[in-house]
Amino acid sequence: MLILQLKDGNETVFEQVYDLTHKKVYRYFLKRNATHDTARDLTQQTFIRLWQYRQTLKEDRTLDTKLFTVANSVLIDHLRRHAHRQQLQDSFSDLQPASTQQALLAYEQQDYLHAAIAHLPPVRQKVIQLRLIHGFTNKEIALHLSIGVKTVEDHITKALRQVKSMQLLILLLICIK
């Protein structure tokens, strides 16, 4: 009965479900993550996602089962983004230039890279930011921006092509100096 009302968009029922289950979901994340802030954020994301995808709820499963399926998905997404960020940090820490001149060159290139991204069209900028900075998957970006997955892939391809061509041009200019 709750599932049908929730599926119909009944906010009062959603609030009741939240009041009854948010502590269980919070403890689920706290056990697996060990920080209160992250557990709180992931709990909030779980209920947001439950509300967003309420139309997909089926009556053949209990609400707890569906809720913890969503919670598990949120946790996997969080761990994936965390691993991606860690991998980026590790790759940047491995890039320690041998000399001051190389450090300046690396800084200039990074500065030019940010400038190149700033010259992308707004949607393409947003797609690149969600992909590279936040670690979203193409599907998550598509849902977030309300566009198709193929459109996301097209934006990423075109943005990378444009940034690479500008980067080559920058390297040529630096070499000429």
Side-chain angles (χ1 to χ4, degrees):
M1 187 69 166
L2 282 176
I3 293 177
L4 284 176
Q5 292 175 335
L6 190 61
K7 199 173 182 178
D8 289 336
N10 188 329
E11 291 179 22
T12 308
V13 171
F14 180 74
E15 289 173 10
Q16 290 172 353
V17 168
Y18 177 82
D19 291 339
L20 290 171
T21 58
H22 81 278
K23 288 181 183 176
K24 283 195 289 188
V25 175
Y26 174 79
R27 283 191 301 269
Y28 169 81
F29 288 124
L30 192 59
K31 270 186 193 178
R32 286 154 182 80
N33 193 25
T35 65
H36 293 284
D37 290 338
T38 305
R40 194 173 333 136
D41 290 344
L42 295 176
T43 301
Q44 184 179 8
Q45 287 177 25
T46 299
F47 283 97
I48 289 170
R49 200 174 284 182
L50 179 69
W51 180 255
Q52 286 176 334
Y53 297 105
R54 67 187 180 276
Q55 298 297 328
T56 64
L57 294 174
K58 295 183 179 145
E59 296 175 49
D60 61 339
R61 295 184 185 164
T62 65
L63 190 57
D64 271 359
T65 302
K66 185 61 182 171
L67 184 63
F68 282 97
T69 301
V70 172
N72 190 43
S73 173
V74 167
L75 180 63
I76 289 170
D77 290 347
H78 168 74
L79 293 173
R80 189 179 296 138
R81 279 192 296 274
H82 180 72
H84 181 72
R85 274 190 220 113
Q86 189 63 43
Q87 186 181 23
L88 283 175
Q89 286 175 349
D90 292 346
S91 67
F92 283 128
S93 66
D94 291 343
L95 298 174
Q96 296 179 355
S99 71
T100 306
Q101 186 177 11
Q102 286 178 330
L104 288 172
L105 181 63
Y107 179 76
E108 278 186 21
Q109 286 176 341
Q110 185 178 14
D111 205 28
Y112 287 125
L113 181 63
H114 287 294
I117 290 173
H119 283 83
L120 293 173
V123 174
R124 216 166 276 164
Q125 277 183 18
K126 187 72 174 168
V127 168
I128 288 296
Q129 289 171 349
L130 290 172
R131 181 72 177 160
L132 299 179
I133 296 170
H134 300 293
F136 283 28
T137 64
N138 291 355
K139 188 175 181 181
E140 290 170 331
I141 295 169
L143 287 172
H144 186 73
L145 298 177
S146 301
I147 57 178
V149 176
K150 291 289 184 188
T151 305
V152 170
E153 292 170 1
D154 185 55
H155 280 299
I156 290 172
T157 301
K158 287 179 179 175
L160 291 177
R161 191 176 301 141
Q162 185 175 347
V163 168
K164 283 179 185 177
S165 67
M166 288 183 78
Q167 194 175 21
L168 284 172
L169 206 127
I170 291 164
L171 285 173
L172 287 172
L173 290 174
I174 290 171
C175 290
I176 293 172
K177 286 181 184 178

